[in-house]
Amino acid sequence: MASVARVAAAALVVLGLASLAAAQMESCNGELPPVLAANYSGLACQPVWNNFVLRYHQDKNNVLRVVLSTMYSTGWVGMGFSRDGLMIGSSAMVGWIGKKGLPHIRQFALRGKSSSKVVVDRGFLVSNDNDHDHTVVVQQAKIYLAFQLKFSYRLTHQHIIMAFGNSIPVKNKLTMHQGKTSFTFDFTTGLPSTGPSPTACAALTARSMCSRGAS
């Protein structure tokens, strides 16, 4: 009887992990908010970390359209582009809903680990046409960061940094993050080529267990 119980328990664990992984993969099935449909339809989609989902498309002119979504109640969410995989020296698009309920999305240059070294409206990312292409939407407890960037080359294996903080930025000052990860994303196949896999992240319950420090 004991062996039967152990087998049953193991089966339940496997089924539970499979369900979590399936739920993670199914997060691409949801539709984007209607306000994003005009400029951000037809994007490829890939769960990348915890409940972060990356939608993207890169056109022949090297314009990258991105919609990053995750569960949200308050605070900020960011996606950084790094030249060497490190946080310092990277540039990030960060979005949040302010205390008055207004959406914000800004570029930050990550010049160091202290708040004073994270500088708003600086960085090497180039907006496509103008900043009006960038927007933040919250719908059904999810935040969507939508932005368009222009590159001088076609992105293939790109170092990506993702992070979130639980406090609302004041005067464009980001608070310390509560979770972060870094990985290399292959924009030609739509898969992380290094770092935590979506399935592994779905099977873990603690955010910190699925995080890799971005130095």
Side-chain angles (χ1 to χ4, degrees):
M1 293 294 293
S3 61
V4 172
R6 285 195 295 270
V7 171
L12 287 174
V13 170
V14 171
L15 287 173
L17 293 179
S19 298
L20 283 170
Q24 178 79 357
M25 297 304 293
E26 289 172 358
S27 58
C28 277
N29 292 339
E31 295 184 358
L32 290 175
V35 69
L36 299 179
N39 292 328
Y40 293 95
S41 61
L43 305 184
C45 182
Q46 178 64 45
V48 287
W49 173 56
N50 284 353
N51 53 31
F52 279 58
V53 174
L54 178 62
R55 292 176 172 87
Y56 67 95
H57 178 264
Q58 186 175 196
D59 67 18
K60 63 181 181 180
N61 296 316
N62 301 326
V63 173
L64 180 68
R65 291 183 296 152
V66 170
V67 177
L68 178 67
S69 60
T70 187
M71 301 305 296
Y72 183 79
S73 57
T74 189
W76 58 267
V77 173
M79 176 177 175
F81 293 76
S82 172
R83 290 168 171 151
D84 55 11
L86 302 179
M87 183 196 79
I88 296 176
S90 64
S91 296
M93 299 299 297
V94 181
W96 68 92
I97 300 298
K99 293 183 177 180
K100 296 182 179 180
L102 298 177
H104 300 264
I105 183 167
R106 308 289 284 271
Q107 180 179 180
F108 287 82
L110 309 181
R111 298 174 178 172
K113 294 185 178 181
S114 64
S115 179
S116 63
K117 296 293 186 179
V118 180
V119 184
V120 69
D121 294 335
R122 293 292 186 271
F124 58 75
L125 299 176
V126 178
S127 298
N128 181 41
D129 294 332
N130 55 65
D131 290 341
H132 296 299
D133 292 325
H134 308 331
T135 188
V136 173
V137 178
V138 172
Q139 178 177 287
Q140 297 179 346
K142 287 185 179 181
I143 190 170
Y144 298 82
L145 275 64
F147 53 90
Q148 299 187 31
L149 303 174
K150 172 71 173 178
F151 291 87
S152 60
Y153 54 90
R154 187 165 184 81
L155 292 185
T156 53
H157 294 78
Q158 173 64 45
H159 298 295
I160 297 294
I161 297 170
M162 291 186 177
F164 66 92
N166 292 337
S167 298
I168 297 174
V170 176
K171 295 182 179 179
N172 298 316
K173 293 291 185 181
L174 298 185
T175 55
M176 182 67 179
H177 55 71
Q178 269 63 55
K180 67 180 185 298
T181 192
S182 61
F183 54 89
T184 302
F185 189 80
D186 188 345
F187 280 93
T188 61
T189 64
L191 293 173
S193 54
T194 63
S197 68
T199 302
C201 288
L204 297 175
T205 56
R207 284 182 182 269
S208 60
M209 293 175 66
C210 200
S211 299
R212 296 176 60 228
S215 302

